[in-house]
Amino acid sequence: MNQKILLEFEAKNIENNLLDICYLMGKPQYLLNNINRMNQCVRSAGLNKYGFLTSSHSSCHLFFCPLCSKMKQKKEYAMMSGIVNLMKSNGEDYDVASICLTIPKFLPLYLSKNSQLLNNHFIKLIKCIEKLNNNKIAGYSYYKHISIKDSTGYNAYHNFIGIHAHALIFFNKEDDIKSHMNSNDINVFWNNINYSTFGETLHSYCEFKPLSSIPSIASYNINTYNTEDLGNKNYAHKFNGLLDNIKKIRMRSYSKLISNLRTQSNAIYKQSKKLAASTP
């Protein structure tokens, strides 16, 4: 189906949920204004000759906007593609560990607290990995996902949401990290870090990926929310909880190496856009 039609359908579902929330909250003006901003953003979408979404509009940057979410993924793919190209042109080669880290679900009221806890425990994990690898780690990209979808069992009946982390950790090829670190090591580290806090076994995994796959993985990792879930009537109450608790939560971070490469990649990307715009 046409991607723009799907986008507009998704935005309409989100708008309906927001209007229901407005009704429950006495229709606060800022939320109505944000609905208008989202709709203006979505209307700016076009399709390129391959049928993919494009937008020349200044993004509304609202976390629930489906177009902004898709454009953010597109931008991260381009950014990480540039970083991989820079690594290769600099003669640098890396082993990359793709890691997922979970913590138990919780009420939306505790989103900020659990987001900060996840950040702190990720840094502890990095220190464990560095110790395993003789204090050597080249860099990382760190992303958080928020889920409002119901799970089965106990959590399904208590309006819980979830937050988990995805990370890409870069190691110099000569360190041969794959010979002395695997998914089980990450799982042991993660559970040792978290058991005193949660008192239960948590899920994590680690898989080594080639550099060529990093842009696609990063594009997925940066997709903080499933915007289809935000438009699901069954989750409107959880969406409302996000609106109250999402402010000032940073959803991604990068180490110094990756930050520097992102700056270089962005400069190259902007220059290429200027050249394309000036080409007859």
Side-chain angles (χ1 to χ4, degrees):
M1 186 182 287
N2 182 295
Q3 285 198 7
K4 186 169 183 181
I5 293 174
L6 287 173
L7 176 74
E8 290 170 349
F9 178 76
E10 198 173 324
K12 188 64 179 176
N13 286 338
I14 292 171
E15 178 184 356
N16 288 339
N17 263 358
L18 285 169
L19 287 172
D20 286 347
I21 292 167
C22 281
Y23 178 76
L24 293 172
M25 297 169 62
K27 296 190 176 181
Q29 189 61 42
Y30 85 91
L31 203 49
L32 294 175
N33 291 341
N34 283 347
I35 292 172
N36 290 332
R37 285 174 58 198
M38 178 191 71
N39 286 332
Q40 182 181 2
C41 191
V42 167
R43 284 194 296 270
S44 75
L47 296 173
N48 64 19
K49 62 181 180 180
Y50 304 107
F52 294 114
L53 288 168
T54 61
S55 177
S56 58
H57 186 270
S58 178
S59 298
C60 66
H61 300 297
L62 295 167
F63 79 86
F64 50 78
C65 176
L67 179 61
C68 285
S69 177
K70 289 171 174 59
M71 292 298 103
K72 184 170 63 174
Q73 287 186 273
K74 182 178 179 181
K75 183 177 180 181
E76 188 72 0
Y77 183 93
M79 185 70 72
M80 293 305 286
S81 294
I83 286 174
V84 169
N85 289 336
L86 283 168
M87 288 174 171
K88 290 179 178 178
S89 66
N90 292 338
E92 299 164 347
D93 199 4
Y94 296 95
D95 286 322
V96 187
S98 177
I99 290 176
C100 178
L101 307 165
T102 68
I103 60 173
K105 291 193 172 185
F106 48 86
L107 292 169
L109 176 65
Y110 302 109
L111 177 59
S112 179
K113 175 184 176 181
N114 280 280
S115 175
Q116 188 57 54
L117 183 146
L118 189 59
N119 294 346
N120 295 342
H121 287 194
F122 173 71
I123 295 303
K124 289 181 180 180
L125 177 68
I126 290 294
K127 291 178 180 177
C128 290
I129 294 172
E130 287 177 328
K131 187 174 181 180
L132 181 69
N133 196 42
N134 297 317
N135 294 318
K136 294 178 182 177
I137 183 172
Y140 63 79
S141 297
Y142 169 71
Y143 312 84
K144 286 179 287 189
H145 283 194
I146 292 175
S147 171
I148 63 173
K149 183 174 287 187
D150 281 343
S151 57
T152 57
Y154 175 84
N155 289 348
Y157 303 102
H158 289 76
N159 302 325
F160 285 7
I161 64 172
I163 188 168
H164 63 274
H166 290 272
L168 294 166
I169 304 179
F170 296 78
F171 302 88
N172 290 313
K173 199 79 171 177
E174 59 267 24
D175 292 337
D176 193 23
I177 185 67
K178 288 191 284 187
S179 70
H180 54 276
M181 189 183 85
N182 56 38
S183 192
N184 185 62
D185 293 317
I186 297 301
N187 200 47
V188 170
F189 289 151
W190 190 241
N191 277 285
N192 286 344
I193 290 166
N194 285 281
Y195 192 80
S196 63
T197 303
F198 299 112
E200 62 181 88
T201 301
L202 303 181
H203 174 71
S204 66
Y205 75 78
C206 169
E207 187 176 359
F208 284 95
K209 297 289 188 180
L211 268 182
S212 59
S213 69
I214 298 311
S216 294
I217 296 171
S219 176
Y220 169 80
N221 287 353
I222 203 170
N223 188 27
T224 307
Y225 315 89
N226 184 333
T227 49
E228 290 183 13
D229 290 342
L230 297 180
N232 188 321
K233 285 281 186 185
N234 295 324
Y235 305 142
H237 57 296
K238 297 185 184 183
F239 191 0
N240 189 19
L242 284 184
L243 291 169
D244 291 336
N245 296 284
I246 196 64
K247 294 178 182 178
K248 297 182 180 178
I249 294 180
R250 189 176 180 185
M251 300 307 298
R252 63 186 185 272
S253 63
Y254 307 95
S255 68
K256 184 176 180 179
L257 169 72
I258 304 302
S259 292
N260 289 342
L261 288 171
R262 286 178 72 84
T263 300
Q264 296 175 49
S265 177
N266 193 42
I268 294 169
Y269 173 72
K270 287 182 176 179
Q271 186 62 32
S272 67
K273 284 190 71 174
K274 285 183 180 179
L275 289 172
S278 63
T279 303

